[in-house]
């Protein structure tokens, strides 16, 4: 069994160990097992990761992060950044998975449109750490929204990360942090990455929604992919 399959099995085991909020009706409507994690999509050897909050209805149905309306905006923007033309088909949107890793703070869908609690995020943090530190080879993480960026607070001086987040130009600059993970044998690993935050591309985010495509392209101009 591959190491990534072992990771997925461990996540599912943890989800079944003790109950936590799950949008069970959405899983049932999609014919999916609620405790089956949707951990990531994309290429573990890619240079860039798009890091979101958690799953939505479309992500559960299609078994991939960032494939709903907000995720589609990210995928379209990344496709344009790679190929310098617009994505015109589902195959185009899927093609970006060759060049990026897509994942979230928690590999499950919470009820409604509410973010998971800190307790749930911390419960699944070790598995996300393993994904990003042990299994993924890249060093550039584009965080999507406040919840996604603040997930990385433990990996640097809290005051420094808070000061960065309070900067007016936080969506134009970046910050380096050192991620840490412990594998299933108890060995500690570290991985230094750059965080490049962007606002969440939700239609409810009236301040940034219309600006997001341009902001994403500006970020992509800073990255290697």
């Amino acid at each position: 069994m591959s190491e990534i399959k072992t990771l997925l099995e461990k996540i599912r085991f943890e989800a079944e160990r003790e109950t936590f909020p799950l949008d069970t009706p959405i899983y049932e409507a999609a014919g999916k097992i609620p405790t089956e994690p949707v951990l990531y999509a994309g290429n573990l050897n890619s240079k860039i990761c798009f890091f979101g909050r958690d799953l939505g209805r479309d992500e559960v149905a299609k078994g991939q992060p960032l494939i709903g309306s907000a995720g589609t905006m990210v995928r379209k923007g990344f496709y344009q950044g790679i190929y310098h033309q617009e994505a015109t088909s589902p195959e185009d949107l899927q093609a970006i998975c060759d060049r990026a890793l897509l994942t979230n703070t928690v590999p499950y869908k919470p009820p409604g449109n509410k973010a998971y609690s800190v307790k749930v995020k911390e419960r699944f943090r070790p598995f996300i750490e393993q994904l990003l530190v042990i299994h993924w080879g890249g060093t550039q993480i584009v965080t999507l929204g406040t919840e996604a960026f603040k997930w990385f607070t433990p990996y640097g001086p809290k005051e420094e990360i808070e000061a960065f987040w309070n900067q007016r130009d936080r969506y134009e600059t970046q910050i380096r942090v050192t991620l840490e993970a412990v594998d299933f044998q108890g060995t500690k690993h570290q991985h230094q990455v750059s965080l490049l935050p962007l606002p969440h591309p939700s239609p409810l985010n009236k301040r940034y929604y219309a600006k997001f495509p341009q902001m994403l392209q500006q970020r992509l101009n800073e990255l290697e992919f």
Side-chain angles (χ1 to χ4, degrees), residues 127-145:
F127 305 110
I128 306 301
E129 287 176 335
Q130 285 199 26
L131 175 69
L132 294 177
V133 174
I134 299 172
H135 298 287
W136 176 55
T139 59
Q140 305 165 111
I141 300 179
V142 177
T143 61
L144 302 167

Side-chain angles (χ1 to χ4, degrees), residues 116-189:
Y116 271 118
S117 66
V118 171
K119 181 179 178 180
V120 173
K121 288 177 184 174
E122 292 307 305
R123 180 174 167 183
F124 290 98
R125 178 180 292 277
F127 305 110
I128 306 301
E129 287 176 335
Q130 285 199 26
L131 175 69
L132 294 177
V133 174
I134 299 172
H135 298 287
W136 176 55
T139 59
Q140 305 165 111
I141 300 179
V142 177
T143 61
L144 302 167
T146 304
E147 297 277 347
F149 177 82
K150 292 193 172 181
W151 185 91
F152 292 92
T153 300
Y155 307 109
K158 184 177 181 180
E159 298 80 7
E160 181 180 334
I161 291 178
E162 287 182 348
F164 174 86
W165 185 250
N166 289 328
Q167 293 175 186
R168 283 189 172 184
D169 63 349
R170 64 178 180 267
Y171 295 135
E172 300 164 12
T173 55
Q174 54 186 277
I175 184 171
R176 292 187 70 80
V177 298
T178 301
L179 306 183
E180 299 179 346
V182 179
D183 64 27
F184 296 127
Q185 288 73 45
T187 303
K188 295 182 179 180
H189 304 260

Side-chain angles (χ1 to χ4, degrees), residues 3 32 39 49 60 72 81 95 98 100-101 105 110 124 128 181 215 218:
E3 291 184 2
K32 301 296 179 71
L39 179 60
C49 169
V60 170
T72 294
D98 293 335
L101 177 72
T105 65
F124 290 98
I128 306 301
M215 295 172 75
Q218 289 173 343

Side-chain angles (χ1 to χ4, degrees), residues 1-210:
M1 180 179 296
S2 71
E3 291 184 2
I4 200 70
K5 286 185 177 179
T6 300
L7 178 59
L8 291 168
E9 281 200 353
K10 295 284 189 180
I11 296 172
R12 180 171 176 174
F13 179 82
E14 175 59 31
E16 293 173 347
R17 182 184 63 81
E18 180 182 341
T19 59
F20 65 100
L22 278 168
D23 201 339
T24 304
I26 294 298
Y27 285 91
E28 291 177 345
K32 301 296 179 71
I33 300 170
T35 55
E36 190 71 41
V38 178
L39 179 60
Y40 77 97
N43 188 346
L44 292 170
N45 295 315
S46 63
K47 296 180 179 180
I48 182 173
C49 169
F50 291 100
F51 192 86
R53 194 187 79 178
D54 41 48
L55 304 175
R57 179 192 303 265
D58 294 326
E59 283 78 11
V60 170
K62 296 178 182 178
Q64 291 189 28
L66 296 170
I67 197 69
S69 58
T72 294
M73 183 178 285
V74 174
R75 290 182 183 230
K76 284 182 175 180
F78 190 42
Y79 185 92
Q80 183 175 357
I82 296 170
Y83 300 109
H84 307 291
Q85 61 185 37
E86 291 188 7
T88 59
S89 70
E91 290 75 22
D92 289 345
L93 297 180
Q94 192 62 27
I96 67 99
C97 290
D98 293 335
R99 304 283 289 275
L101 177 72
L102 313 174
T103 191
N104 290 303
T105 65
V106 178
Y108 293 102
K109 184 187 184 309
N113 195 34
K114 295 183 178 180
Y116 271 118
S117 66
V118 171
K119 181 179 178 180
V120 173
K121 288 177 184 174
E122 292 307 305
R123 180 174 167 183
F124 290 98
R125 178 180 292 277
F127 305 110
I128 306 301
E129 287 176 335
Q130 285 199 26
L131 175 69
L132 294 177
V133 174
I134 299 172
H135 298 287
W136 176 55
T139 59
Q140 305 165 111
I141 300 179
V142 177
T143 61
L144 302 167
T146 304
E147 297 277 347
F149 177 82
K150 292 193 172 181
W151 185 91
F152 292 92
T153 300
Y155 307 109
K158 184 177 181 180
E159 298 80 7
E160 181 180 334
I161 291 178
E162 287 182 348
F164 174 86
W165 185 250
N166 289 328
Q167 293 175 186
R168 283 189 172 184
D169 63 349
R170 64 178 180 267
Y171 295 135
E172 300 164 12
T173 55
Q174 54 186 277
I175 184 171
R176 292 187 70 80
V177 298
T178 301
L179 306 183
E180 299 179 346
V182 179
D183 64 27
F184 296 127
Q185 288 73 45
T187 303
K188 295 182 179 180
H189 304 260
Q190 291 188 333
H191 187 49
Q192 193 173 70
V193 300
S194 295
L195 304 179
L196 300 95
L198 283 176
H200 192 279
S202 166
L204 299 177
N205 191 347
K206 298 185 184 300
R207 181 177 180 183
Y208 290 110
Y209 181 69

